[in-house]
């Protein structure tokens, strides 16, 4: 049974690239283009891991993460933040908010996979 | 006009500062005079005089209270100066009367005493009033002139009177000159201190403007780098997909082309990162946050990324971690960035060779250090190249830039990161014999470095 991944990123191409590459690696991937969509998906369905972008319009990665951690259904789901170098200070904040790990964009697929597998 | 009014405010401020002192000095002298003349003069006359002097001083007290309450402004400064001037005239006359009162004693000593008193009052008043020259004049002349006029015109010639009058006149002239000097120097110091304030102010504004500009610059760079990065991530991501799919379906040429796009994209991305990092370092915005860091697992995690760098020039990676290496306190992200920068640099200048990462413990200045030593079998560097290795702006001129795609800014960034972590970075190299770069970090970042930002 393959693991289910929820990719949350506002950039369409980022979502497309990441989900296609994850599918090639054998994951079952769903995508959400913003935080509120992700939260409603999380309340309806169960995911094994969430890959969460920080910089998003409306509800950013922080807000989404904070909301996830207050919901019983998504409290325990591992979250890996997707970030770029200039958001490093934000990443530290995310770890404080309950993120499990982070990866720098652009992802090295092997690196990302290994980080994901730690939680699956 | 405006400037002289502003000067007057400063002068009145100094007058105000001295007013209480003048008041106290007057009261002390009055007490002394009353004590000295004792019963030589009719008490009624003495107390009338004392009452007059005290009345003037009550006026001065009111003046002081008012000026401390309202403060001195452009609008009230003239009024305060004029009212003080009136006080000065009255005050002067009250002392000018003293020699006439004491003359009744027909005692030369007593009379001389009165001269001493008014002379010393005239001298003391320079300090308390001469910052505004006309106030000093208004005080001193009513005090000194009556006795001179009396001596010259009304007193029958006496040997004593003649010589004393001459001395008193010389004294008046001297006091006028001296007080004028004082007035001038006060004025000068006021002008200078104001000019000084203006200069300091200008400097501060200039500094703030520069600071603002520098902040705007780093904000711009941060935003710009984000804007550049987003499309670039797509380029790299899709080229990776094409590369994988093409090589699966056997389209080797397409796979090789896609690989070139991917590698160029990553190169461009790392340049953008370095520019951003340098600007953040310059702006003092790189924050060091220290945590317990498992060196072994960090290196393990970086392995695929390092291999990715090295495969391009067909290099082999060898990792050795000595057994006593485990947990240190340092900044995870900065250390990762340092190691990756160094490895990618070695990868660039080594072909079909080997890059070795050794992690060992070393005692330096009695402090446990963990050293990351990166050895390659690449082209190496001569002394001149080593000198500019960490210089972000001089590398761009080097001929190697064209040949090897340049060292980028990665080395300069790495060196600054190493400094932030309280460590050292050293290079050993010979042309043709590879390079050997070692980064040594203390097990625990010294307290003064902790959470510091580079500036």
């Amino acid at each position: 049974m393959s693991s289910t991944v929820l990719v949350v990123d506002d950039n369409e191409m980022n979502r497309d690239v990441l989900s296609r590459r994850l599918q090639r690696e054998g994951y079952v991937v769903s995508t959400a283009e913003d935080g509120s969509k992700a939260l409603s998906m999380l309340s309806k369905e169960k995911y094994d891991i969430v890959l969460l972008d920080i910089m998003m319009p409306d509800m950013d990665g922080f807000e989404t993460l904070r909301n996830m951690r207050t919901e019983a259904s998504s409290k325990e789901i591992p979250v890996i933040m997707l970030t770029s170098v200039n958001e490093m200070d934000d990443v530290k904040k995310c770890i404080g908010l309950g993120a499990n790990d982070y990866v720098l964009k652009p992802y090295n697929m092997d690196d990302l996979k290994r980080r994901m597998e730690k939680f699956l | 006009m405006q400037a002289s009014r502003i000067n007057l405010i400063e002068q009145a401020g100094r007058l105000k500062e001295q007013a209480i002192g003048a008041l106290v000095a007057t009261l002390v002298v009055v007490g002394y005079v009353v004590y000295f003349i004792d019963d030589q003069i009719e008490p009624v006359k003495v107390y009338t005089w004392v009452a007059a002097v005290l009345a003037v001083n009550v006026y001065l007290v009111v003046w002081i209270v008012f000026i401390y309450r309202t403060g001195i402004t452009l609008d009230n400064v003239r009024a305060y100066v004029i009212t003080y001037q009136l006080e000065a005239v009255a005050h002067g006359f009250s002392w000018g009367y003293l020699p006439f009162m004491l003359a009744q004693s027909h005692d030369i000593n007593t009379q001389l005493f009165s001269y001493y008193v008014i002379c010393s009052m005239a001298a003391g008043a320079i300090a308390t009033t001469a910052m505004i020259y006309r106030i000093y004049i208004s005080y001193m002349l009513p005090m000194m002139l009556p006795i001179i006029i009396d001596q010259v015109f009304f007193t029958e010639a006496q040997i004593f009177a003649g010589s004393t009058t001459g001395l008193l006149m010389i004294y008046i002239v001297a006091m006028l000159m001296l007080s004028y000097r004082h007035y001038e120097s006060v004025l000068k110091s006021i002008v200078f201190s104001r000019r000084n304030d203006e200069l300091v102010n200008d400097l501060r504004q200039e500094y703030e403007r520069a600071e603002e500009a520098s902040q705007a610059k780093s904000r711009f760079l941060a935003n710009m780098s984000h804007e550049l990065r987003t499309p670039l991530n797509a380029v790299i991501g899709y080229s990776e997909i094409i590369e994988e799919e093409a090589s699966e379906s056997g389209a080797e040429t397409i796979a090789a082309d896609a690989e070139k796009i991917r590698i160029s994209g990553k190169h461009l991305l790392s340049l953008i990162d370095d520019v951003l990092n340098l600007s953040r370092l310059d702006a003092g915005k790189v924050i060091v946050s220290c945590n317990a860091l498992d060196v072994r697992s960090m290196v393990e995690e970086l392995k695929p990324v390092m291999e990715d760098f090295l495969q391009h020039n067909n290099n082999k990676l060898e990792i050795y971690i000595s057994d006593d290496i485990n947990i240190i306190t340092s900044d995870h992200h900065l250390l990762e960035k340092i190691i990756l920068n160094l490895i990618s640099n070695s990868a660039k200048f080594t072909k079909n060779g080997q890059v070795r990462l050794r992690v060992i413990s070393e005692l330096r200045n009695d402090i446990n250090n963990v050293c990351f030593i990166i050895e390659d079998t690449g082209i190496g560097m001569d002394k001149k190249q080593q000198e500019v290795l960490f210089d972000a702006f001089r590398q761009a001129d080097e001929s190697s830039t064209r040949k090897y795609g340049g060292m980028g800014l990665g080395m300069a960034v790495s060196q600054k990161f190493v400094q932030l972590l309280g460590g050292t970075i050293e290079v050993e190299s010979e042309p043709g014999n590879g390079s050997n770069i070692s980064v040594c970090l203390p097990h625990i970042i010294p307290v003064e470095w902790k959470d510091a930002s580079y500036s």
Side-chain angles (χ1 to χ4, degrees):
Chain A
M1 177 66 196
S2 43
S3 308
T4 51
V5 184
L6 177 61
V7 173
V8 190
D9 196 321
D10 61 310
N11 184 294
E12 197 202 327
M13 282 195 277
N14 281 352
R15 279 200 311 274
D16 182 40
V17 169
L18 187 53
S19 55
R20 275 169 67 184
R21 302 204 63 197
L22 288 169
Q23 277 159 4
R24 291 175 58 86
E25 301 289 339
Y27 296 101
V28 176
V29 185
S30 305
T31 59
E33 68 267 18
D34 60 43
S36 41
K37 180 99 183 287
L39 288 175
S40 79
M41 287 171 76
L42 280 162
S43 66
K44 283 182 204 128
E45 232 169 301
K46 176 121 185 56
Y47 294 93
D48 294 321
I49 191 164
V50 175
L51 305 182
L52 184 58
D53 185 34
I54 292 184
M55 262 233 247
M56 291 186 292
D58 297 332
M59 191 189 282
D60 63 13
F62 297 125
E63 257 332 285
T64 314
L65 181 60
R66 207 178 325 218
N67 281 316
M68 274 184 70
R69 289 315 185 212
T70 55
E71 291 292 322
S73 59
S74 55
K75 206 172 185 169
E76 303 295 330
I77 301 179
V79 174
I80 295 179
M81 305 304 294
L82 307 174
T83 175
S84 49
V85 169
N86 51 347
E87 295 164 347
M88 277 318 295
D89 300 337
D90 299 341
V91 167
K92 286 161 188 164
K93 213 160 121 192
C94 286
I95 302 289
L97 281 172
N100 300 77
D101 205 347
Y102 67 91
V103 283
L104 287 177
K105 291 182 197 171
Y107 336 99
N108 174 293
M109 216 42 214
D110 293 336
D111 183 40
L112 176 60
K113 232 174 92 182
R114 221 197 38 259
R115 284 174 200 260
M116 286 169 68
E117 289 303 326
K118 275 199 291 193
F119 304 107
L120 294 173
Chain B
M1 178 64 206
Q2 190 70 4
S4 73
R5 185 70 70 89
I6 290 166
N7 284 350
L8 195 60
I9 287 183
E10 284 285 328
Q11 287 167 286
R14 295 180 187 211
L15 191 66
K16 170 187 128 182
E17 279 167 24
Q18 298 293 335
I20 293 174
L23 182 72
V24 172
T26 306
L27 295 179
V28 168
V29 176
V30 168
Y32 184 60
V33 168
V34 171
Y35 172 77
F36 183 80
I37 59 182
D38 201 14
D39 49 0
Q40 295 180 37
I41 309 292
E42 291 168 56
V44 182
K45 282 198 171 171
V46 174
Y47 290 118
T48 311
W49 175 75
V50 170
V53 176
L54 287 183
V56 174
N57 279 299
V58 168
Y59 178 96
L60 182 58
V61 169
V62 173
W63 186 89
I64 290 172
V65 169
F66 266 88
I67 201 168
Y68 269 94
R69 269 208 190 152
T70 64
I72 307 165
T73 65
L74 276 175
D75 297 324
N76 68 20
V77 63
R78 291 188 73 85
Y80 275 122
V81 168
I82 288 168
T83 46
Y84 196 98
Q85 199 173 358
L86 290 174
E87 189 270 352
V89 172
H91 210 158
F93 274 120
S94 73
W95 287 103
Y97 174 69
L98 185 69
F100 293 96
M101 185 173 77
L102 296 189
Q104 291 172 356
S105 72
H106 301 294
D107 175 11
I108 282 180
N109 285 335
T110 310
Q111 230 162 336
L112 272 179
F113 168 72
S114 72
Y115 294 165
Y116 291 145
V117 170
I118 58 172
C119 283
S120 55
M121 291 297 282
I126 291 181
T128 56
T129 62
M131 59 287 275
I132 301 176
Y133 192 54
R134 61 175 187 268
I135 288 185
Y136 181 73
I137 301 279
S138 309
Y139 177 65
M140 198 267 257
L141 292 183
M143 183 161 64
M144 305 285 286
L145 280 186
I147 187 69
I148 306 270
I149 291 166
D150 180 59
Q151 294 282 346
V152 171
F153 296 106
F154 302 106
T155 311
E156 288 140 38
Q158 288 173 14
I159 301 166
F160 151 72
S163 61
T164 317
T165 309
L167 283 176
L168 279 177
M169 286 169 85
I170 293 170
Y171 185 78
I172 290 175
V173 174
M175 284 299 110
L176 286 176
M177 283 165 59
L178 189 60
S179 57
Y180 192 73
R181 283 272 169 78
H182 182 72
Y183 160 75
E184 272 186 331
S185 74
V186 166
L187 214 54
K188 246 181 225 165
S189 87
I190 286 171
V191 171
F192 279 139
S193 84
R194 201 175 55 235
R195 218 172 277 167
N196 205 19
D197 287 350
E198 281 168 8
L199 281 177
V200 169
N201 214 17
D202 284 357
L203 264 180
R204 191 175 303 132
Q205 279 181 2
E206 207 54 47
Y207 175 78
E208 276 163 14
R209 225 171 287 149
E211 191 72 358
E212 238 166 67
S214 145
Q215 299 245 331
K217 187 191 78 180
S218 41
R219 247 197 323 274
F220 170 78
L221 279 171
N223 291 338
M224 201 59 199
S225 107
H226 183 78
E227 299 294 321
L228 291 172
R229 193 187 304 269
T230 308
L232 200 49
N233 280 336
V235 169
I236 294 168
Y238 280 110
S239 65
E240 272 172 334
I241 291 181
I242 294 171
E243 196 184 328
E244 282 168 20
E245 287 178 354
S247 65
E248 268 171 27
S249 62
E252 288 304 328
T253 338
I254 294 176
D257 289 350
E259 187 195 4
K260 283 180 189 123
I261 296 174
R262 173 174 63 85
I263 288 167
S264 302
K266 285 207 166 168
H267 183 203
L268 183 52
L269 194 70
S270 79
L271 284 177
I272 294 170
D273 282 353
D274 288 340
V275 169
L276 177 71
N277 274 324
L278 267 189
S279 79
R280 283 161 60 90
L281 282 162
D282 277 343
K285 286 225 177 103
V286 175
I287 295 164
V288 180
S289 71
C290 295
N291 287 303
L293 191 164
D294 183 346
V295 177
R296 199 172 291 273
S297 71
M298 184 194 72
V299 172
E300 212 49 54
E301 278 172 22
L302 289 179
K303 202 175 163 193
V305 190
M306 295 193 276
E307 276 168 346
D308 200 33
F309 286 157
L310 288 169
Q311 71 169 35
H312 172 50
N313 273 341
N314 198 24
N315 291 308
K316 280 209 182 75
L317 176 68
E318 195 183 300
I319 295 177
Y320 168 79
I321 304 177
S322 106
D323 290 336
D324 53 351
I325 298 288
N326 42 40
I327 311 271
I328 63 169
T329 303
S330 203
D331 185 299
H332 192 264
H333 166 64
L334 293 187
L335 184 51
E336 251 183 29
K337 183 79 186 160
I338 293 166
I339 293 174
L340 289 182
N341 271 346
L342 298 182
I343 293 282
S344 108
N345 196 55
S346 286
K348 216 177 288 171
F349 295 96
T350 309
K351 273 201 169 75
N352 305 318
Q354 192 186 51
V355 175
R356 195 145 75 117
L357 171 64
R358 283 195 303 137
V359 188
I360 53 169
S361 262
E362 218 181 276
L363 201 64
R364 290 194 165 202
N365 301 325
D366 291 331
I367 295 169
N368 270 328
N369 273 253
V370 53
C371 294
F372 299 83
I373 301 166
I374 290 127
E375 298 160 331
D376 64 50
T377 55
I379 56 166
M381 285 173 285
D382 60 28
K383 283 270 170 279
K384 226 173 149 191
Q385 287 169 314
Q386 290 176 36
E387 272 168 30
V388 296
L389 184 58
F390 300 116
D391 191 330
F393 298 101
R394 279 173 65 189
Q395 270 175 34
D397 304 331
E398 295 294 304
S399 55
S400 67
T401 304
R402 251 157 280 141
K403 201 163 160 195
Y404 294 96
M407 312 216 216
L409 304 167
M411 296 303 279
V413 171
S414 298
Q415 187 200 34
K416 286 186 172 153
F417 280 178
V418 170
Q419 285 169 356
L420 273 182
L421 297 178
T424 55
I425 185 165
E426 281 157 21
V427 191
E428 256 176 66
S429 183
E430 252 177 63
N433 272 334
S435 302
N436 194 335
I437 298 178
S438 45
V439 169
C440 287
L441 303 175
H443 266 217
I444 292 174
I445 297 184
V447 177
E448 64 265 29
W449 286 94
K450 237 178 184 175
D451 298 326
S453 55
Y454 182 85
S455 52

